[in-house]
Amino acid sequence: MVTIKVGALADSGDLYPFIPLMEGKIKPEGFNLEFEIIPTVQDINEAVLKKEVDVSVPSVAMYPYIQDDYYILSNAVATATDGITGMPILSIREMKEDEITKSRLIVHGQNTTAFTLYKLLIGRYGKLVIVRRVLDEIKALGKEGDVLVAVHEIKMMYALKKLGINVVKLGSMWDMWKNLSKGIPMPMGMVVFSKELGRELALKFKEVYEKSKKYAETHLDEIIPKDVEIMRESQKADIDEEIVRKTIWADIEEYNVPIDQVKRGLEFFYKVCEERGILPRVRNIDLI
């Protein structure tokens, strides 16, 4: 029996759909699953580029580099349709636009959607500062870097409040994206499946993933304690259960955007990024 290696991202919003499968609440038929918890988005991006995992959750911006090797699960594209998780740009002081473009910019990694959107929507920066772990970013703000693109806004704001750090919201990727795209949904992350395992197996995995996701969404009280446990261990931080709950609720909306809107977002994102020389051409968005 084939074993599918899943690289699960240690982020509550992307992790919750996998937990019922990890915990045996939902059981696949005809294949086995082997899970590896991967702590950061950039680590995920590098793992799929090297084809070290069969299933994982890379940045949408990573897809042009892996399009020949992975399918996209159409029921698993995290897509923003409002500003709730719209990637705010944070600083510890007020800044004018020309100051932002000369700032030390903190992002998760070079292949992340956050950094790609920054290049698309703002463009220039003074120095790039890579801080892979989510909650380590706030320790760098005002020290190693001046401006932060906060992908995990809810966790970020809560952690900043706990540390007594006051921040200024200079803008958001969502607001700028909305103006550029005329309101098209903004894609951020996706679940991909290795083409080496074939389309038939990919469709079977998609079906069991959907069952797992729906189970998690209707049994959050069962899922959240495990989510918190994984997050605390992987992020080496004291993650508050209520923040995990709020993060998951925000991501439930993102992971349940209608497929026609998801496709519009992906098509526009890849088209405009190619036109501006930010990403390679995507020949075909291989949604299954």
Side-chain angles (χ1 to χ4, degrees), residues 39-170:
T40 76
V41 175
Q42 186 61 28
D43 291 336
I44 289 276
N45 288 340
E46 290 169 9
V48 295
L49 187 61
K50 296 172 185 174
K51 297 194 281 186
E52 294 174 345
V53 288
D54 301 315
V55 174
S56 201
V57 196
S59 303
V60 162
M62 193 67 201
Y63 182 68
Y65 303 99
I66 62 170
Q67 59 183 304
D68 293 332
D69 302 312
Y70 289 90
Y71 299 110
I72 303 170
L73 301 193
S74 61
N75 59 343
V77 180
T79 306
T81 56
D82 55 39
I84 293 174
T85 52
M87 298 188 189
I89 306 163
L90 306 178
S91 176
I92 58 172
R93 64 178 179 85
E94 290 284 358
M95 281 189 188
K96 294 181 180 178
E97 188 174 339
D98 63 332
E99 289 183 275
I100 296 174
T101 59
K102 297 172 185 173
S103 68
R104 296 172 298 172
L105 173 67
I106 302 171
V107 295
H108 289 332
Q110 291 177 306
N111 302 117
T112 58
T113 303
F115 184 41
T116 304
L117 285 169
Y118 183 96
K119 289 188 288 185
L120 174 66
L121 299 168
I122 297 176
R124 292 178 294 133
Y125 53 91
K127 178 186 176 183
L128 186 64
V129 179
I130 305 292
V131 181
R132 293 194 177 209
R133 288 184 186 271
V134 173
L135 297 179
D136 285 348
E137 294 171 311
I138 52 179
K139 299 170 188 174
L141 189 60
K143 296 175 183 175
E144 299 172 51
D146 308 307
V147 172
L148 163 66
V149 181
V151 179
H152 305 84
E153 181 176 357
I154 295 171
K155 285 197 285 289
M156 191 70 62
M157 292 302 194
Y158 177 78
L160 286 163
K161 186 176 180 181
K162 280 185 75 174
L163 291 171
I165 300 173
N166 295 315
V167 293
V168 177
K169 182 177 176 180
L170 303 174

Side-chain angles (χ1 to χ4, degrees), residues 213-264:
K213 179 162 73 78
K214 293 304 181 188
Y215 183 96
E217 291 170 359
T218 54
H219 297 81
L220 283 183
D221 288 339
E222 286 181 38
I223 300 306
I224 286 173
K226 184 62 178 178
D227 195 301
V228 171
E229 177 189 325
I230 293 170
M231 288 288 292
R232 284 176 176 167
E233 183 177 337
S234 181
Q235 300 298 337
K236 311 299 181 189
D238 184 19
I239 307 293
D240 186 272
E241 186 171 309
E242 186 58 28
I243 298 308
V244 167
R245 186 180 294 272
K246 288 179 179 177
T247 301
I248 290 174
W249 271 116
D251 279 52
I252 284 173
E253 291 189 28
E254 291 174 6
Y255 274 108
N256 286 284
V257 173
I259 183 58
D260 60 324
Q261 294 184 47
V262 168
K263 192 171 182 181
R264 284 180 67 210

Side-chain angles (χ1 to χ4, degrees), residues 166-216:
N166 295 315
V167 293
V168 177
K169 182 177 176 180
L170 303 174
S172 81
M173 295 294 108
W174 166 253
D175 290 336
M176 288 181 279
W177 167 270
K178 186 178 179 181
N179 289 334
L180 177 67
S181 70
K182 310 301 183 192
I184 290 174
M186 184 175 80
M188 296 181 291
M190 55 173 56
V191 177
V192 298
F193 189 97
S194 173
K195 289 184 177 180
E196 288 184 3
L197 295 179
R199 189 180 185 88
E200 184 179 346
L201 190 55
L203 290 169
K204 288 180 180 178
F205 178 83
K206 177 186 175 183
E207 183 179 347
V208 79
Y209 171 88
E210 181 67 18
K211 289 178 181 177
S212 184
K213 179 162 73 78
K214 293 304 181 188
Y215 183 96

